[in-house]
Amino acid sequence: MFRYRKNEKVARTAHRPTKCPFCHLEDKVLNPRERQIIEETAHARVMDALYPYDLWEWRQVTSHLLIVPKRHIALLDELTPEERSDIMDLMCKYDTQNYSVYARSPRSIQRTIPGHQHTHLIKTNETAIKKGAIYMVKPYLLRKF
């Protein structure tokens, strides 16, 4: 899988809040721009991603949303049956609208908001870009661990 953000550096160097930005949506310090809530159910919110991807699987991203449980949980396994049903219904709804559904492991180093589970909804255009069209400011370094 390939993903890329023009603002990756901003996302990585952004101040790590001590409070959860998903639980404190009204806090302008944690959310420098107001997040637009697209849809709200009894147990979850669908909202714009604060740092959306520009490319996903070698395609231009046209929409990047997040499904965020209202209750602060780290793992999908912590969802109640009602929350699971509610969130799965949202995933199914957006899947039928050609969104890719993606969630990271809670221990993933790529996760920008640790501690609060969230699922990415990513819609791309139909045409794949040429792989040689990507320009990276700094090359990745390979290291042995």
Side-chain angles (χ1 to χ4, degrees), residues 19-47:
K19 294 191 275 183
C20 176
F22 292 140
C23 295
H24 300 276
L25 290 174
E26 71 287 347
D27 191 332
K28 296 301 178 196
V29 174
L30 299 177
N31 294 293
R33 71 171 175 84
E34 191 171 330
R35 288 183 187 226
Q36 183 178 359
I37 296 175
I38 308 299
E39 183 174 353
E40 193 162 359
T41 63
H43 302 287
R45 291 181 183 97
V46 177
M47 61 181 65

Side-chain angles (χ1 to χ4, degrees), residues 37-140:
I37 296 175
I38 308 299
E39 183 174 353
E40 193 162 359
T41 63
H43 302 287
R45 291 181 183 97
V46 177
M47 61 181 65
D48 285 329
L50 189 57
Y51 299 108
Y53 295 142
D54 296 297
L55 297 176
W56 179 262
E57 296 179 341
W58 298 107
R59 288 175 168 67
Q60 185 71 41
V61 173
T62 57
S63 178
H64 185 173
L65 306 174
L66 302 173
I67 298 175
V68 181
K70 289 182 178 179
R71 189 167 60 89
H72 186 91
I73 60 160
L75 302 167
L76 289 168
D77 190 47
E78 297 173 19
L79 293 169
T80 66
E82 296 81 18
E83 291 169 328
R84 284 182 191 189
S85 177
D86 196 13
I87 289 171
M88 187 55 108
D89 287 348
L90 286 170
M91 287 180 191
C92 292
K93 176 182 177 179
Y94 284 89
D95 181 56
T96 62
Q97 296 175 27
N98 296 322
Y99 279 85
S100 294
V101 179
Y102 176 71
R104 286 196 178 88
S105 158
R107 294 185 185 191
S108 171
I109 61 170
Q110 297 296 322
R111 198 169 184 177
T112 53
I113 306 293
H116 196 134
Q117 196 284 330
H118 55 284
T119 303
H120 297 261
L121 299 170
I122 302 167
K123 185 185 266 189
T124 62
N125 66 11
E126 299 289 324
T127 308
I129 63 165
K130 294 182 180 179
K131 293 182 182 180
I134 301 296
Y135 172 75
M136 292 185 200
V137 177
K138 294 182 181 177
Y140 289 99

Side-chain angles (χ1 to χ4, degrees), residues 139-145:
Y140 289 99
L141 300 175
L142 298 176
R143 294 182 281 169
K144 284 188 176 182
F145 292 98

